[in-house]
């Protein structure tokens, strides 16, 4: 068994155990393998071990990598999206997790319509109010959701956050809780509730699961340390 396959098996078992300990069902939480900086053969190995969801930070890297990977892989953009990369993002990615402005939403919707595509999106929320990070404030979520809902070729699935970094996972818990509360607030006005909460990475995923995460973005624990 390759190290990637072994890492995936161990991680899946740990996630399932944590999910059950929280009184949730294992199928409620999905694993997104963050493959940024790792070459296509690493993605192929992970696919061979049953992993199908992959995350990339940069459109430019994805342009080189995605065409060299098997078509059964599904790709999420988890890094900031510049407007001038929007068309390629729509062409390459199944899900864009970092929607952070009405202007970008309208541009994505227009491009998706031109390409006859439907793109799933998550709204990125800056729960830590960090000026160096992207994402909307919590009180802006409902307004941006309304813009997305008005775009026929976009499908809003939920919220995503990158909380302030801390060595202690417990210190991050309040930020995960705030994202869950933001989704609960948004869902009060929706006929069909949104369910996706993309939060939790290699160092803090257990706390994220406890706070309601449905999508864990994990790279190092699967592929090993990055060289860049």
């Amino acid at each position: 068994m390759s190290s990637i396959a072994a890492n995936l098996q161990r991680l899946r078992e740990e996630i399932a155990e944590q999910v059950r300990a929280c009184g949730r069902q294992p199928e409620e939480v999905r694993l997104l393998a963050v493959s940024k900086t790792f070459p296509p053969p690493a993605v192929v190995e992970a696919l061979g071990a049953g992993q199908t969801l992959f995350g990339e930070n940069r459109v430019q890297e994805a342009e080189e990598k995605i065409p060299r990977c098997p078509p059964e892989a599904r790709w999420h953009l988890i890094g900031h999206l510049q407007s001038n990369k929007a068309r390629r993002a729509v062409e390459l990615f199944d899900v864009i997790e970092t929607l952070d402005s009405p202007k970008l939403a309208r541009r994505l919707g227009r491009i998706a319509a031109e390409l006859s595509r439907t793109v799933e999106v998550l709204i990125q929320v800056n729960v830590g109010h960090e000026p160096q990070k992207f994402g909307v404030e919590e009180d802006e979520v409902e307004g941006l959701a309304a813009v997305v809902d008005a775009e026929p070729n976009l499908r809003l699935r939920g919220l995503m956050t990158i909380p302030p970094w801390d060595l202690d996972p417990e210190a991050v818990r309040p930020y995960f809780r705030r994202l869950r509360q933001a989704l609960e607030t948004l869902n009060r006005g929706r006929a069909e509730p949104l369910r996706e909460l993309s939060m939790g990475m290699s160092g803090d995923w257990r706390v994220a699961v406890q706070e309601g995460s449905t999508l864990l973005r994990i790279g190092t624990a699967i592929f090993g340390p990055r060289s860049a």
Side-chain angles (χ1 to χ4, degrees), residues 116-227:
S116 300
R117 291 208 63 191
T118 298
V119 179
E120 296 184 0
V121 299
L122 277 69
I123 292 174
Q124 182 175 357
V125 186
N126 187 354
V127 291
H129 309 297
E130 296 178 277
Q132 76 275 20
K133 285 185 179 176
F134 297 97
V136 299
E137 299 294 323
E138 286 135 292
D139 61 3
E140 299 173 316
V141 170
E142 188 173 354
L144 182 50
V147 174
V148 176
D149 289 337
E151 294 292 335
N153 291 77
L154 298 184
R155 296 287 181 271
L156 182 59
R157 296 306 187 198
L159 306 179
M160 175 266 207
T161 197
I162 304 171
W165 184 88
D166 199 292
L167 191 61
D168 179 11
E170 282 298 326
V172 185
R173 184 185 296 276
Y175 301 104
F176 292 153
R177 186 169 296 164
R178 284 172 60 176
L179 190 72
R180 173 170 52 81
Q181 291 169 341
L183 186 66
E184 291 169 353
T185 299
L186 179 60
N187 278 338
R188 291 188 193 125
R190 300 184 70 87
E192 184 176 345
L194 304 172
R195 304 194 180 280
E196 203 79 279
L197 283 173
S198 176
M199 58 187 194
M201 296 182 283
S202 289
D204 55 25
W205 66 262
R206 291 173 178 82
V207 171
V209 167
Q210 293 166 10
E211 293 299 330
S213 177
T214 64
L215 192 60
L216 303 172
R217 307 186 305 270
I218 299 179
T220 302
I222 298 171
F223 297 107
R226 291 186 176 86
S227 58

Side-chain angles (χ1 to χ4, degrees), residues 5-155:
N7 290 343
L8 276 168
Q9 181 176 319
R10 181 173 60 251
L11 184 58
R12 288 173 184 142
E13 291 171 354
E14 292 176 357
I15 291 171
E17 181 179 356
Q18 181 66 60
V19 170
R20 284 192 293 266
C22 297
R24 303 175 63 191
Q25 298 300 312
E27 61 269 19
E28 293 179 33
V29 181
R30 296 183 298 158
L31 175 60
L32 181 73
V34 179
S35 51
K36 66 176 184 179
T37 77
F38 290 99
V43 174
V44 173
E45 280 192 56
L47 275 166
Q51 179 65 31
T52 57
L53 301 182
F54 296 89
E56 288 288 325
N57 273 48
R58 298 171 64 245
V59 173
Q60 185 174 351
E61 181 180 348
E63 284 183 302
E64 299 295 324
K65 184 180 298 182
I66 291 177
R68 297 166 59 195
C69 293
E72 59 265 32
R74 281 179 53 81
W75 297 91
H76 290 219
L77 178 64
I78 57 174
H80 176 63
L81 177 58
Q82 298 174 319
S83 291
N84 64 349
K85 300 287 187 181
R87 181 169 294 273
R88 285 301 283 144
V90 170
E91 292 170 342
L92 290 166
F93 291 96
D94 302 288
V95 182
I96 294 173
E97 294 197 17
T98 50
L99 179 63
D100 61 1
S101 73
K103 179 180 178 181
L104 181 59
R106 295 186 183 101
R107 181 168 176 78
L108 290 172
R110 183 170 63 253
I111 292 169
E114 291 172 1
L115 298 176
S116 300
R117 291 208 63 191
T118 298
V119 179
E120 296 184 0
V121 299
L122 277 69
I123 292 174
Q124 182 175 357
V125 186
N126 187 354
V127 291
H129 309 297
E130 296 178 277
Q132 76 275 20
K133 285 185 179 176
F134 297 97
V136 299
E137 299 294 323
E138 286 135 292
D139 61 3
E140 299 173 316
V141 170
E142 188 173 354
L144 182 50
V147 174
V148 176
D149 289 337
E151 294 292 335
N153 291 77
L154 298 184
R155 296 287 181 271

